[in-house]
């Protein structure tokens, strides 16, 4: 597909006559798509210059039937006007109480980055921009990640725990 001078002239003529991009693409054919026509019309600055012809005018929107009011029960509260503050009772399930884990961090001498070795816990302690910044330094299990057992319990959650937490956060609070 290429835009030759003849195709561009035909595009301009048809666009000024009020043809739609789909009809122009059908007339030009040979790999010219509706989107290609729209893009070329935009690049040529013809986007606002189309005149609507009687044959090209879209049909008027279909007439919508008036809405029927919903069926009201005799016992339901009647609300008129703004319904933003209307009474919509619903039941909120209380979140299951989460078990509290006691995290016992082993007492160890925190180490600096220079003193930190592979078998030591890499849990950061403090603010990295301060001179007092250290790492936990407790012994970790080989092949079990960068943290000791206690810090791994803080850092990692099972997928089930994350889903439960996400569900409880998305529920509206009463």
């Amino acid at each position: 597909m290429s835009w030759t001078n003849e195709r561009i002239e035909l595009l301009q003529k048809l666009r000024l006559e009020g043809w739609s991009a789909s009809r122009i693409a059908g007339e030009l054919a040979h790999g010219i798509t509706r989107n290609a026509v729209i893009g070329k019309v935009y690049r040529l600055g013809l986007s606002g210059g189309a005149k609507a012809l009687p044959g090209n005018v879209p049909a008027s929107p279909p007439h919508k039937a008036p809405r029927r009011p919903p069926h009201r029960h005799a016992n339901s509260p009647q609300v008129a006007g703004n319904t933003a503050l209307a009474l919509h009772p619903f039941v909120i399930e209380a979140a299951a109480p989460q078990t509290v884990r006691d995290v016992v961090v082993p007492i160890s001498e925190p180490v600096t980055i220079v003193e930190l070795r592979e078998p030591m816990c890499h849990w950061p302690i403090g603010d990295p921009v301060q001179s007092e910044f250290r790492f936990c330094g407790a012994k970790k299990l080989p092949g079990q990640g960068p943290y000791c057992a206690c810090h791994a319990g803080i850092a990692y959650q099972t997928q089930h725990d994350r889903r439960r937490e996400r569900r409880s956060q998305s529920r509206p609070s009463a």
Side-chain angles (χ1 to χ4, degrees):
M1 179 214 75
S2 62
W3 285 100
T4 62
N5 288 338
E6 293 81 23
R7 282 186 174 175
I8 294 173
E9 288 175 16
L10 182 58
L11 167 72
Q12 291 173 334
K13 176 182 166 270
L14 296 176
R15 179 67 182 165
L16 292 175
E17 289 178 7
W19 283 38
S20 69
S22 298
R23 285 184 60 197
I24 295 172
E27 181 70 25
L28 295 175
H30 305 295
I32 303 286
T33 63
R34 174 184 166 274
N35 285 340
V37 170
I38 292 170
K40 195 63 172 177
V41 165
Y42 177 77
R43 287 188 299 276
L44 292 173
L46 302 174
S47 51
K51 300 176 207 165
L53 294 178
N56 198 28
V57 175
S60 62
H63 179 60
K64 293 184 180 180
R67 285 187 165 187
R68 290 186 207 149
H71 178 70
R72 301 267 184 202
H73 294 286
N75 296 342
S76 67
Q78 299 296 319
V79 179
N82 189 351
T83 60
L85 301 176
L87 176 63
H88 298 289
F90 58 93
V91 177
I92 299 176
E93 292 181 24
Q98 295 181 354
T99 58
V100 177
R101 282 188 302 194
D102 289 330
V103 179
V104 179
V105 179
I107 298 175
S108 64
E109 186 64 36
V111 294
T112 64
I113 187 84
V114 176
E115 301 163 336
L116 190 62
R117 302 285 176 249
E118 179 60 29
M120 297 177 163
C121 177
H122 287 60
W123 186 266
I125 300 172
D127 186 2
V129 296
Q130 300 296 324
S131 62
E132 298 86 29
F133 178 71
R134 300 284 188 268
F135 292 91
C136 171
K139 185 175 183 188
K140 67 179 183 103
L141 298 174
Q144 295 294 317
Y147 306 125
C148 63
C150 297
H151 285 123
I154 297 170
Y156 304 118
Q157 295 179 348
T158 63
Q159 204 171 32
H160 179 68
D161 291 342
R162 284 192 304 245
R163 285 184 186 148
R164 185 183 316 134
E165 186 176 310
R166 206 175 308 131
R167 258 189 265 124
S168 68
Q169 289 175 352
S170 65
R171 287 186 181 156
S173 58

